[in-house]
Amino acid sequence: MGLGVLEDHQLEHVPGTAPLNELGREVYNTSGVDSAMLKHDPTGQIVLVPQPSDSPNDPYNWSRWKKEKFTIAFAFSCGAVGAVGPLLSPAFVQLAAEFDVSLSTFIQGVQGGVIVAIAFGSLIWNALAVKYGKRPVYLITTLGLMVTCFWSAAAKSFGSLVAARVIQGFCMGPLEALIPASIADVWFVHERGYRSAIFNLGVLGGINLAAPITGGIIQASSWKVAFYAMGAAFGIAFIMIFFWMPETAYVRTGVVNLDTGSNNLTITHKLDASHVEAEEKNATGQPTQPPAPTEQPHSFAKEMLPYSGYINHVSLLNTMFRPFVMLASPAVLWATLLFTTCISWLVGISITLSQIFSAPPYNFSVTAVGLTNLSSFVASLLGTALAGPLIDGVVRRMSLRNGGTFEPEFRLPIMITYLLFTATGFFAWGQAAYALNPWEVPVIVGLGLINFGIQLGTTGVVSYVVDCHREKAGEAFATMNFVKNLFAFGLVNYLNNWLATQGTRNVFFTIGGLTIGVSLFTIPMYIYGKRARSWVYRHNISGKHE
């Protein structure tokens, strides 16, 4: 048992488990390859997982600056996607009156339509990305987001605005669902936690900053100006993606797959060691390795092509529906439950802010309601600053204590912070709003604790899923995004009435209790996670073994 993670006795190598430190050389089976031959980080202390190829075009071999530019590009783009969703939320009441529709109809059209479109867009764009690569998908959808922002600004009818928003939602899917897979394409295991935190900061930061910025713009000018500004932001995002996000889909040959379970043997069918050695070694007694092909670095012009020519010979239709099969993986099912609830609660708060703070005794203006989200943004920023040292640092320390061997379950202790901070924040928010405490209590304490916990928690969830299913991360996040957005759509149509009938304290105390309940599923996930990963591999849940 590795630090409470139960060992599996069915597989020689459970996918996800990998050596991360020199101490792991003697306790980890590297499929007949001398551990001394494995590639390490510049310090020589950390084994690189996954193992990169020798090609200069392998994204794992990109220069540090090239990788950081990639990170900056997706962080900005995710921020823009996070912002465009709740862009109109500070002025729902005024806009419903302007278009002469009821408030519920307006919210269902411009907000609910976006949420449902994201769900289906995640599935379709993921399938296209698996087959043709991620770069063309990012470019097409970012261009679509820019165009639909300008369309929304020019809309003269409610129907036209809703149509623009639905297409907008459809184009939002990739920058919500595919980025974790791109992170796995570029960064090694010991570096992913911080980059996952940046991804979460982009999305959550965009959500939290949208209302403060657009609230002031709408009150000072008009909602059309807000959409024009958003269109310009997506124009910048398109330029950054074009120059800083080359294709990351890459087929590696002649490398040891330490974390995917390739060429695995079940314990019950394991061959005699001498027979394996005889087959694996050539006449000189050395492990047989395919000759490393010499490959020239891609030119800048080739990297800038919108489509690299990558094609995966899989069925597009099967790939589109395959994400639902990933729900049979206990890790993905657990992550879907946590991810769905924590992100949906944020959506719920965003649509109730106006309802709470526009009424007495607060009587906030549109701008003031929007500014309440600044507390959430600052909390998310603090969470990001701590997420890297906490998640990646804890993983390194636990791997050292585990004899140098990394288990994906070492990502899960961070969920303690999600339970403590987020649940406490919901209780504080509900009680403060019910008792009509000064605005500083619900806004700074309540919203601050909620967003701080969610930033840390979602980073843990994203990192864990990527470590368990690196090669199927896109599919996993497509289904997580699908379920999350359908749940959020239901919440949009239900929460305001629930708040009106049950009251603020009862609603958010219930949400706090649910947060605690779903968080407790992390305990069995930590204990049985390794056996669950073995079960998924042995039953071929995530697809064909390579």
Side-chain angles (χ1 to χ4, degrees):
M1 180 184 293
L3 304 182
V5 179
L6 293 180
E7 290 294 338
D8 174 71
H9 302 294
Q10 301 294 321
L11 285 182
E12 183 182 33
H13 169 213
V14 179
T17 301
L20 196 64
N21 188 275
E22 292 296 305
L23 296 177
R25 288 184 175 183
E26 296 181 2
V27 299
Y28 183 85
N29 187 317
T30 53
S31 304
V33 177
D34 183 1
S35 294
M37 301 298 291
L38 297 176
K39 296 176 182 178
H40 295 65
D41 76 333
T43 68
Q45 298 299 309
I46 297 176
V47 176
L48 297 179
V49 180
Q51 285 282 286
S53 67
D54 292 325
S55 170
N57 300 313
D58 187 340
Y60 290 130
N61 291 328
W62 286 354
S63 69
R64 183 61 177 265
W65 175 230
K66 187 173 181 177
K67 290 185 176 184
E68 296 298 0
K69 287 192 295 183
F70 188 94
T71 303
I72 293 169
F74 78 64
F76 180 86
S77 303
C78 288
V81 161
V84 78
L87 193 71
L88 300 176
S89 59
F92 278 160
V93 175
Q94 293 86 339
L95 290 175
E98 181 177 332
F99 284 99
D100 195 25
V101 295
S102 67
L103 179 61
S104 60
T105 300
F106 186 84
I107 292 176
Q108 287 174 6
V110 303
Q111 203 71 13
V114 167
I115 292 171
V116 172
I118 293 173
F120 289 95
S122 297
L123 296 176
I124 295 171
W125 290 116
N126 169 74
L128 291 169
V130 169
K131 190 168 183 67
Y132 299 110
K134 301 179 183 69
R135 178 171 167 82
V137 168
Y138 288 143
L139 290 172
I140 292 169
T141 53
T142 306
L143 189 62
L145 286 165
M146 181 179 70
V147 170
T148 53
C149 281
F150 294 139
W151 175 5
S152 298
K156 298 187 185 311
S157 68
F158 179 63
S160 178
L161 178 61
V162 170
R165 289 285 281 173
V166 168
I167 297 174
Q168 205 166 75
F170 185 74
C171 293
M172 289 168 65
L175 285 167
E176 286 196 4
L178 282 180
I179 293 298
S182 291
I183 291 173
D185 288 342
V186 174
W187 296 98
F188 298 105
V189 161
H190 67 284
E191 300 170 322
R192 288 179 193 157
Y194 180 59
R195 277 76 196 179
S196 297
I198 291 176
F199 159 67
N200 285 324
L201 175 66
V203 176
L204 300 182
I207 292 172
N208 292 327
L209 281 181
I213 295 172
T214 60
I217 292 174
I218 292 171
Q219 187 163 321
S221 183
S222 76
W223 60 274
K224 293 178 181 290
V225 175
F227 268 119
Y228 281 126
M230 203 71 247
F234 280 116
I236 296 171
F238 180 83
I239 294 171
M240 294 176 75
I241 290 172
F242 186 86
F243 287 105
W244 291 355
M245 291 182 68
E247 181 58 66
T248 60
Y250 184 82
V251 180
R252 291 170 188 86
T253 57
V255 296
V256 180
N257 286 315
L258 299 175
D259 63 332
T260 61
S262 297
N263 304 316
N264 222 331
L265 296 173
T266 58
I267 298 299
T268 55
H269 295 88
K270 188 175 180 182
L271 300 175
D272 179 77
S274 60
H275 178 67
V276 173
E277 184 176 352
E279 287 199 344
E280 286 186 343
K281 292 191 176 184
N282 57 23
T284 63
Q286 297 300 317
T288 302
Q289 293 286 342
T294 57
E295 190 174 341
Q296 294 299 315
H298 291 156
S299 66
F300 178 77
K302 185 173 182 178
E303 282 196 338
M304 292 302 101
L305 289 174
Y307 175 49
S308 67
Y310 173 87
I311 186 167
N312 189 348
H313 297 286
V314 295
S315 166
L316 190 63
L317 190 62
N318 288 344
T319 306
M320 197 174 299
F321 291 102
R322 175 144 201 91
F324 294 110
V325 179
M326 294 297 294
L327 285 173
S329 164
V332 175
L333 189 62
W334 168 85
T336 301
L337 179 64
L338 269 293
F339 194 69
T340 295
T341 51
C342 69
I343 299 298
S344 295
W345 299 152
L346 287 183
V347 174
I349 288 177
S350 71
I351 64 173
T352 57
L353 280 175
S354 181
Q355 189 174 352
I356 293 171
F357 288 107
S358 294
Y362 302 111
N363 297 315
F364 281 7
S365 65
V366 171
T367 302
V369 170
L371 288 172
T372 58
N373 271 330
L374 284 178
S375 167
S376 302
F377 176 72
V378 172
S380 296
L381 206 59
L382 291 174
T384 302
L386 292 175
L390 278 176
I391 296 178
D392 289 336
V394 166
V395 162
R396 293 189 190 106
R397 288 182 178 87
M398 293 185 73
S399 297
L400 278 171
R401 292 187 60 188
N402 194 40
T405 300
F406 164 78
E407 303 286 1
E409 286 68 39
F410 295 164
R411 301 284 191 189
L412 299 183
I414 195 69
M415 299 309 295
I416 296 172
T417 63
Y418 171 70
L419 187 154
L420 294 176
F421 290 113
T422 306
T424 302
F426 279 123
F427 294 143
W429 170 264
Q431 179 60 33
Y434 169 80
L436 302 178
N437 291 136
W439 67 267
E440 292 89 347
V441 179
V443 172
I444 297 176
V445 178
L447 289 181
L449 288 175
I450 290 168
N451 282 271
F452 183 73
I454 285 178
Q455 175 64 17
L456 294 172
T458 51
T459 301
V461 170
V462 169
S463 301
Y464 182 62
V465 173
V466 169
D467 289 340
C468 289
H469 297 289
R470 173 173 63 86
E471 296 182 325
K472 300 293 181 181
E475 287 91 331
F477 283 98
T479 193
M480 288 166 60
N481 226 31
F482 183 85
V483 174
K484 180 258 291 182
N485 280 285
L486 289 188
F487 182 85
F489 177 71
L491 198 66
V492 164
N493 292 300
Y494 176 74
L495 189 59
N496 287 106
N497 290 333
W498 184 21
L499 199 67
T501 55
Q502 294 293 319
T504 307
R505 181 168 63 177
N506 288 340
V507 168
F508 287 102
F509 272 34
T510 300
I511 289 176
L514 289 172
T515 299
I516 293 174
V518 297
S519 298
L520 293 177
F521 283 106
T522 306
I523 298 173
M525 193 73 252
Y526 180 87
I527 296 171
Y528 297 100
K530 188 170 185 176
R531 293 184 178 180
R533 287 183 279 121
S534 171
W535 180 84
V536 167
Y537 182 91
R538 287 182 284 111
H539 290 82
N540 203 25
I541 298 298
S542 61
K544 294 180 181 179
H545 303 325
E546 296 183 4

